[in-house]
Structure formats: C-alpha cells, structure tokens
Amino acid sequence: MTPISQHSDEFRAAARHFGRRRFLTTAGAAAALAFATQLPAAGAAAAAELDGRRITEDPFTLGVASGDPLPGSVLLWTRLAPRPFEPGGGLPAERVSVHWELARDERFARTVRRGRATAHPEFSHTVHVEVEHLEPGREFYYRFRAGDWTSPVGRTRTAPAPWARPAELRIGAVSCQAYHDGYFTAYRHLADEDLDVVLHLGDYLYEYAVNATGGARAYTDRTLPAVFNRETVTLEDYRLRYGLYKSDPDLRAAHAAHPFVVTWDDHETENNYAGGTPENGVPPEEFLLRRAAAYRAYWEHQPLRAPQRPEGPDMRLYRRLRFGRLAQFDVLDTRQYRSDQAYGDGWQVPGPLSEDPGRTMTGAAQERWLLDGWRASDARWNVLPQQVVLAERRDRSTADFKLSMDSWDGYPASRQRILAGAESAGVENLMVLTGDVHVGYGFDLKADFRDPASRTLGTEIVATSIASGKDGADRPSNYDKLMQANPHLRFFNGRRGYVTVAFGEESARADFRTVPYVTTPGAPVTTAGSFVTEAGNPGLTPA
C-alpha cells in the first residue's frame, strides 16, 4: 500500500464533496484544503483568544528566523509550539497575542521598534511580522514574547539602499537537509560565519519516513514519535515534519544568526514532481491537494512575506531582491511550472523529446519576469538562486553519454533561452547558485557546452547538502568520469557542508566549506576549495 493510500481519506472526501472539475481549479483546491483539514479562513473571528498566562511550557521550541531583507524592512518569524511533535503543537485552537521587539543591540537597550502580532491556529500559530521604516544596511536584533515566555534572540540585517555601492556582500548557500541522513553540524559552523544573508536552495525537509532513532543519527538518548515514521501527505504531516526539522539546535542557530532567503525544490512536497504531475500515478486531484498542503505548511514555517502566501495549490515563490548596486538576486522556482520530465525521468540519452523547444523549466511568465529583470538591472553582479544543475553534466565522455532529465539538461531549450537572454540583456557578471545534487560543483557556463572553446557566459556554484547523502566522500566514485566528460567543470567534492560567496566590485570569491562526517555529531569544518571569478571576465580560477 502506498503512503497516498494510507493517508488520503480526507483527500477523497474533499474530492467527492467538491467534484473533480471544480477541485482542479485554484479556488476549488483551496476550498477542498479547508474542507479536508477543517480549517477556517485566516484570522477567523470564531477563534477565541488564549490568555498567554495559560501557556505553561516554553512555546519557542522552534526558535526564531528572519528573511527576505529589504532596504527599509525586515521579516521576522516564529511559531508557538510547546510540544512540536504533537498535532497542534501543544496549543488549543485559539489565537495568541505575541509581542515583538527590534533593537540595535543584543540587550535591547536601544529598541527601535516594538509591536504585537497574532498567532492564528489556522496557520499553526506561526507569526510573520514585516517591520517597516528601518534604516538600510543596518544590523538589528529581535525577540518575541508570549505570556511569560521570551524567545531566543535573533540577528538580522536590512539590505543596503538601492543606490548604495557596498564594498562587499557575503552570502551563504545551503541545500538538502535530510534529517534521517545525519546531523546538521554544518549549520553550527554556518552560524559562526560573518554573512549578510543565507540562500536556501531547496529540500529544506524530506517527505520520507523518519524512524524512532532518527535514521542515520542513531539516537540512543531519545525516541522519536511514530507520527514521523511515515511519508508526509496531509497538512498535519507536513506541519509535524517542520516541527521535527526545526527542533534541530544547529538549524535554529543558523536561522537566529542570519536572515534567510528560501526557495524550494521537490522534497518539500514530493520527490521529482513536475508542476501538477506527481512522481507516482495518483489522481491529479489528490496530488494538487497534497501540493496545497505542502505549500501552506512551507509558507507557515518559513520567513516569507505576505505576497508569497499560497492560494490553494499555487504559490508565487519567485521574487527579486537587491543589495544596493552591488548584487541583484532573482530567486527562481523550477518545480511549480515545469514540463514533466522527459523519457520517464532519471539519467537518459537525450533526444527529440527532451530537446523539444516547447519544454520549459520555469513557465513562460517566470521566464519573462527573469529576462525583463535582467534588462532593467544596473547591478554589478546578477545572481540566480535556483534548484537544479544548469550546466550540462554528462555522465561519461563517450558518445553514448546520458544526462539527468530532472536537471536543466532535460530542458536544454529552456536553458538556452535563459542564457541567451542574459547575454542579450548585457549581463556580464552572472552567477548561478544551485543545490539538489548533494555534492559541491563549480562550473563555467558556456555559450555551447559541446564546444569547450565557446564563450563563457557566467559561473555556477553548486552547494553540497547539509546532510543528504550521509557522510559522502571528497572524491565520489564518478569523480574521474565527470571531470573528463565535462571540461567546463572546475571543481567537484562530495562531502557535506555549504558555500560562502563574497561579492566585491572587482571579483567574487566562493569557498566550499565541508565537514568530514554527519552521521555522528561534532565534525570540524574545513575549506575544500576556493575559486574566484573576476568582474567582466567570467569563469572560475583557483583562489
């Protein structure tokens, strides 16, 4: 029996109640989600207010976070969940008043803003506070209070003013944190880095079951509840899984230390789904309701602003952030709008189906938005945070090579439109940031990947996983094959970790930071490789 079959009674009831044709619309799926989970509209007056003094256990078990920094605004997040491993988080279905403070110092002697927000039960008692009218390019500290409880303190920053030319911008890039594959040790080191912002490039959680001992973590000091030992399908499943992941102290430390800019890949919903097409052959109405549940839980648990709040199975996640005139970040969503993978997915010999010019990775609207944004950009660096490998990646150097149909290699016409659009817009300093593949790569992006002598149009930095893939190896078994088959591949390492990139006016430096193991805690961090790309001279050279 599949996980869908085990957990979809409410899906089928909703589908019968609304009818298949109405169900497959955005409004129908949104209504069906509310029906299936007995959720009222956000902020419903029917929800009584809980007296904060009745909260007898620490409600800030999942920490605090901030995200999507703007020049005059920060987004602050927390969730009230005294018992995050239980449905409802240990609170009744009542709204809770939450006070927040923003200050220039960690002791809150110089408070600059304070206010009150409401944690609604229909949004799992999460809080998203958009603090406005702040000075650009400033560091701030924040905290929340509910009843007699005070949250941990978080640190955040506003972006520089639009006209500013900061001397440097330091970012982190992370991806792929399978809880059951190991500890999030890399996050502890990331928390100690001097960074302005962290880009999360997808697979924040995994839908797969986590057993009582936490999989490869092999706990001996705790037993995880049975609610995690199944695939996530329902809204409650996804909420509980975020509770598990955000209970990790190293992840909480990273969120408290730096503002995050997040985008998803597939596992936040289901492995390798493509638009409205699921991995497995379930009815489309069931998958769209699952997607609606996954998207809702994602927004609830991430430091995202109001425009990203989903409507049914749809969520506008692609967006643009600027850091003065030094860098523009165009954050992509390559899951929600893509064509289905060609040739049944996996590694396949490319052919007419994968090379069909009508295939898209981004959808037409997102593609236009990206190219229009590049044409209007006056930033020194144009950075493209996204999910799957953009550069061509052959698995062997012989003529019978295969390509990954889930990456941009399965959508080469779409890739060519993007790269040609960057060149047409005059983008000289393009850097793509990628996750997904559980290894660190450094690529030169070529005008023609099959001609090593063709122009280099930019660089691609692929951040390895935080934990997915377990310990990994410095040289994976396919190291020699991939390096020989792809002359534009400049770096390849298979350990866990993250990437930092320092952008300046003249160059950008990428450091691949890795840990030797994640199946036991406490690993040290080292730099496995460092590369520089010069402004106006794209391509990676060892630092």
Side-chain angles (χ1 to χ4, degrees), residues 212-224:
T213 58
R217 295 188 176 208
Y219 289 141
T220 58
D221 61 341
R222 74 198 79 173
T223 300
L224 296 180

Side-chain angles (χ1 to χ4, degrees), residues 266-278:
D266 51 341
H267 289 288
E268 290 90 349
T269 301
E270 181 196 49
N271 178 59
N272 280 23
Y273 80 94
T277 304

